[in-house]
Amino acid sequence: MLINLHIVNLALIDELDIDFTEGLNIMTGETGAGKSIIIGSIGIGLGGKFDSSLLRNKDKDGMVELLFSVDERLTASLAEEEVDIDDGELLISRRLTGGKTVNRINDKNVTLAKLKRVSEKLLSLHAQHEQRSLLVASKHLELVDNFSQEIKELKKEVSQSCKDYRSISDKLEELTMDQTERAKRLDYIEYEINDIESARLRPGEDEELEDIYKKASNAQNIAEITSKTEMLAGYDRENSAGSLISEALHELQSLSRYDSGAEELISSLTDIDSLMSDFSRQLSDYISDMEFDEEVLRETETRLNLINTLKSRYGQSIEEIFEVLEKLKKEEEELSSYDETVADLEKRKIVLADEYYAKAEKLSKLRKKTAKALCKTISAAMKELNFNDVRFDMEFERQDAILPGGIDLGQFIISTNVGEDMRPLISVASGGELSRVMLAIKSVISETTDTPTLIFDEIDVGISGITAEKVGQTMRKIAQSRQLISITHLPQIAAFADTAYVIEKEVNGDKTITGIRKLDMEGRVMELARLLGGTNISDTVLANAREMLERHGGLDTND
């Protein structure tokens, strides 16, 4: 569950800490006190948009931290994301500094995508805009699909089947051309194939030729360098290196008559003389091999020009040219056997269409079965929310197009009065009804999920009186199996809180600051009285507040 929320330098908040408890946590406060800032901060912590426009002081960092307690089940689930848990706690931190957001989990930097995946396992935030999503019919079918893991898996198969079908359809469309266009394309392909094959390219040939061309085109420079080297290092001139070393060796050899210890010197110089002799022969061979004529240069240049022309048309290397050649031959084969190719693709298209519709029909049946059970459960939950005569169901319409989501169009239909025909939810529900329908849906779905913490942002919009009390009862029921945090304006809901908080806006000097207090029993009585009576808090209003808390178990009668 969420243990603590820490906010720094956001909107009207300098720095704020909120410690949450198990069960139902209710936050109240005057309009404009900053309730939306707190919910928005939680959204940021879960991976929502975080930019400098949200900062109170643009020169300081902004930060949101969410501290969670994690049980063994969640620890195992988080291990799949390579998140290690220390002492049963996990800290998610997002800091905005220098225009950049730093995302951390347990003091380790993580990507935003990973932070979102991890946070989804810990907390589910249901904001006001989700109620409006009920006014979009396509969202209704998503709720059914997300309710069943079997539907999710089958939906993936249907999507892949659609992808395969569209791939064949696109291929057929590419091949669809009249006889004249096909003949023109075939002629051009044959020309390109002949253009490449007639060159008789060899892998690596371009590199070999470039090396030969470089040498041939610089033959004069090579001749001058090697000739001068031969003159300096050879044996043909008296003062050349080879001749001088040979002469020195001859002189040194006479030293052995006078000193037997000179043999080492003689051996070293003999090795040098031998190396010089080998080098002289190698140089002579190199000079002989470097004899290029103009014909070789012209032939090499012509061949290189041909290869470079082919590269400019078909690829940056001989290997790429060969790859293009294979593709051209394959297309040539398809066009040459056009009728057979099209017939094969048409057969394949029919098979894939049949496979798609078989899977889509299976998905549709499962959806209808799941929707029937889900709507029955939601109806029961709605009756607990003061929809006494409600009927709630989903109607389906078949669409014949092959689409990734299947063949179904579906939307919720509702009747809230006896004798009233069922009509689409999007056309009849008021704001208050939408909030209760969403709460009913969330209460049902929450029973099938493992998310330990739920947050409701003003689920009480458009309701009052006994309906509000029913909503409070439902929220307390949900909070018996998981932590629930909610903002409300209604005393009937606030009275059900296990822990209550008041959000306040204060003027401190020249600054307006949002703060929050956890309420003790007397504080809860006063806050409920404010919600009941506004600024005129009489003894009667206080008594009503105390009686409401006693009735809902929020106040110990012995206090």
Side-chain angles (χ1 to χ4, degrees):
M1 72 174 191
L2 180 62
I3 301 173
N4 176 267
L5 169 64
H6 182 58
I7 308 169
V8 177
N9 192 34
L10 286 185
L12 297 178
I13 296 173
D14 274 342
E15 185 166 6
L16 189 65
D17 263 300
I18 309 175
D19 293 322
F20 293 104
T21 66
E22 295 180 350
L24 181 58
N25 294 253
I26 294 290
M27 293 182 283
T28 58
E30 294 280 3
T31 300
K35 298 185 293 295
S36 62
I37 299 171
I38 292 174
I39 295 296
S41 297
I42 295 174
I44 289 171
L46 300 177
K49 184 179 179 181
F50 195 9
D51 60 46
S52 57
S53 65
L54 302 171
L55 298 181
R56 179 182 181 90
N57 186 333
K58 307 298 182 185
D59 297 325
K60 295 182 180 180
D61 293 352
M63 185 174 69
V64 175
E65 290 182 329
L66 303 174
L67 180 63
F68 295 90
S69 64
V70 179
D71 60 17
E72 291 182 2
R73 181 198 61 78
L74 260 180
T75 298
S77 178
L78 291 168
E80 298 173 3
E81 294 290 343
E82 299 182 344
V83 174
D84 297 325
I85 304 300
D86 294 325
D87 298 325
E89 293 185 349
L90 180 146
L91 180 66
I92 289 179
S93 172
R94 300 192 72 207
R95 180 185 292 272
L96 182 62
T97 177
K100 296 182 179 180
T101 305
V102 179
N103 308 305
R104 299 174 71 85
I105 296 177
N106 285 346
D107 294 328
K108 291 183 180 179
N109 287 354
V110 296
T111 64
L112 181 58
K114 180 172 181 176
L115 183 142
K116 287 182 177 180
R117 290 196 304 271
V118 170
S119 66
E120 286 174 357
K121 296 175 181 286
L122 299 165
L123 189 151
S124 180
L125 172 59
H126 307 291
Q128 281 181 287
H129 67 83
E130 285 196 86
Q131 296 171 29
R132 295 191 292 273
S133 72
L134 289 177
L135 297 176
V136 181
S138 61
K139 297 293 184 181
H140 300 178
L141 198 58
E142 285 183 21
L143 285 168
V144 174
D145 290 351
N146 291 331
F147 190 69
S148 165
Q149 187 61 36
E150 189 178 355
I151 288 179
K152 290 179 184 178
E153 295 300 324
L154 188 52
K155 195 174 176 182
K156 289 179 183 178
E157 295 181 24
V158 170
S159 178
Q160 183 60 50
S161 187
C162 172
K163 184 178 179 180
D164 294 341
Y165 175 85
R166 287 182 175 179
S167 177
I168 293 294
S169 298
D170 292 343
K171 185 66 176 177
L172 273 169
E173 190 173 339
E174 290 173 10
L175 289 174
T176 302
M177 57 179 75
D178 61 30
Q179 187 66 32
T180 302
E181 289 176 326
R182 195 161 64 250
K184 286 180 180 179
R185 177 60 183 162
L186 191 56
D187 284 344
Y188 187 68
I189 288 174
E190 289 173 348
Y191 162 78
E192 289 185 315
I193 290 173
N194 181 66
D195 193 30
I196 296 173
E197 290 187 332
S198 63
R200 299 183 182 279
L201 300 174
R202 290 185 296 104
E205 181 184 4
D206 50 349
E207 296 176 359
E208 295 174 12
L209 290 173
E210 285 169 2
D211 189 47
I212 293 171
Y213 179 77
K214 185 177 181 181
K215 292 176 182 178
S217 61
N218 289 283
Q220 184 176 349
N221 292 334
I222 292 172
E224 290 176 359
I225 293 168
T226 54
S227 177
K228 188 172 182 180
T229 302
E230 186 178 38
M231 180 182 67
L232 292 171
Y235 290 84
D236 295 335
R237 297 181 60 188
E238 291 183 359
N239 61 344
S240 61
S243 297
L244 291 172
I245 290 172
S246 183
E247 183 180 348
L249 178 60
H250 179 73
E251 289 294 330
L252 192 61
Q253 285 172 339
S254 64
L255 184 61
S256 62
R257 292 179 292 175
Y258 311 112
D259 183 6
S260 60
E263 289 300 328
E264 188 174 346
L265 291 174
I266 294 170
S267 177
S268 296
L269 192 54
T270 299
D271 290 342
I272 293 172
D273 183 52
S274 178
L275 288 170
M276 286 300 297
S277 179
D278 290 344
F279 172 74
S280 182
R281 283 193 299 273
Q282 290 173 2
L283 181 59
S284 178
D285 292 342
Y286 180 83
I287 291 171
S288 297
D289 292 341
M290 285 293 106
E291 292 179 358
F292 293 104
D293 57 30
E294 290 295 324
E295 184 62 26
V296 172
L297 180 59
R298 284 195 297 272
E299 289 177 359
T300 302
E301 188 173 16
T302 299
R303 184 66 175 169
L304 274 175
N305 286 338
L306 172 61
I307 292 174
N308 288 331
T309 298
L310 293 175
K311 284 182 178 180
S312 68
R313 293 174 182 170
Y314 306 111
Q316 298 301 309
S317 66
I318 289 179
E319 288 73 17
E320 288 185 16
I321 293 173
F322 286 153
E323 289 175 6
V324 170
L325 178 62
E326 288 303 311
K327 291 178 181 178
L328 289 170
K329 286 183 176 180
K330 184 176 181 181
E331 187 177 356
E332 179 190 34
E333 182 181 353
E334 289 177 347
L335 289 174
S336 297
S337 56
Y338 176 80
D339 292 337
E340 294 87 346
T341 300
V342 169
D344 288 343
L345 289 173
E346 289 286 4
K347 289 179 183 177
R348 180 63 179 152
K349 183 178 178 181
I350 292 172
V351 170
L352 288 174
D354 289 343
E355 289 178 358
Y356 170 84
Y357 282 114
K359 292 176 181 177
E361 290 286 359
K362 184 178 178 181
L363 174 62
S364 181
K365 289 179 181 178
L366 183 57
R367 276 172 167 164
K368 290 171 182 175
K369 180 181 177 181
T370 303
K372 182 64 66 176
L374 177 62
C375 288
K376 182 178 180 180
T377 308
I378 291 173
S379 293
M382 290 173 67
K383 287 177 181 178
E384 293 181 5
L385 293 170
N386 209 33
F387 280 104
N388 296 320
D389 300 309
V390 70
R391 288 180 295 148
F392 189 77
D393 207 342
M394 173 170 272
E395 64 177 6
F396 286 84
E397 179 182 342
R398 180 189 173 95
Q399 51 184 355
D400 290 325
I402 294 181
L403 298 170
I407 58 175
D408 298 309
L409 292 174
Q411 65 174 332
F412 291 129
I413 54 177
I414 190 172
S415 170
T416 56
N417 297 300
V418 175
E420 185 179 83
D421 291 337
M422 297 188 75
R423 296 173 60 193
L425 177 66
I426 59 175
S427 64
V428 300
S430 65
E433 287 174 330
L434 279 179
S435 64
R436 280 186 289 159
V437 171
M438 179 57 80
L439 179 58
I441 291 172
K442 293 301 181 183
S443 67
V444 170
I445 291 177
S446 69
E447 294 177 2
T448 66
T449 64
D450 295 325
T451 308
T453 297
L454 304 178
I455 296 183
F456 290 158
D457 179 18
E458 299 190 15
I459 200 74
D460 57 10
V461 172
I463 62 174
S464 59
I466 190 172
T467 300
E469 186 161 335
K470 295 284 188 178
V471 168
Q473 290 172 352
T474 297
M475 291 172 69
R476 171 166 279 184
K477 180 181 177 182
I478 295 172
Q480 289 173 356
S481 59
R482 67 200 63 234
Q483 182 188 43
L484 176 58
I485 300 170
S486 183
I487 287 176
T488 186
H489 296 98
L490 300 177
Q492 294 94 329
I493 293 176
F496 282 95
D498 294 308
T499 307
Y501 308 81
V502 62
I503 301 168
E504 301 167 315
K505 185 167 62 175
E506 300 177 357
V507 177
N508 188 352
D510 58 351
K511 292 196 304 184
T512 301
I513 299 174
T514 288
I516 188 167
R517 288 187 294 117
K518 182 186 291 187
L519 297 174
D520 58 16
M521 289 302 179
E522 195 57 36
R524 292 190 63 179
V525 171
M526 292 301 295
E527 179 61 12
L528 269 186
R530 182 191 67 80
L531 292 173
L532 286 166
T535 56
N536 299 315
I537 301 178
S538 63
D539 290 341
T540 301
V541 171
L542 284 170
N544 287 340
R546 191 175 296 275
E547 188 273 332
M548 184 179 290
L549 279 171
E550 290 174 354
R551 187 170 69 249
H552 297 316
L555 184 66
D556 190 340
T557 55
N558 293 321
D559 283 358

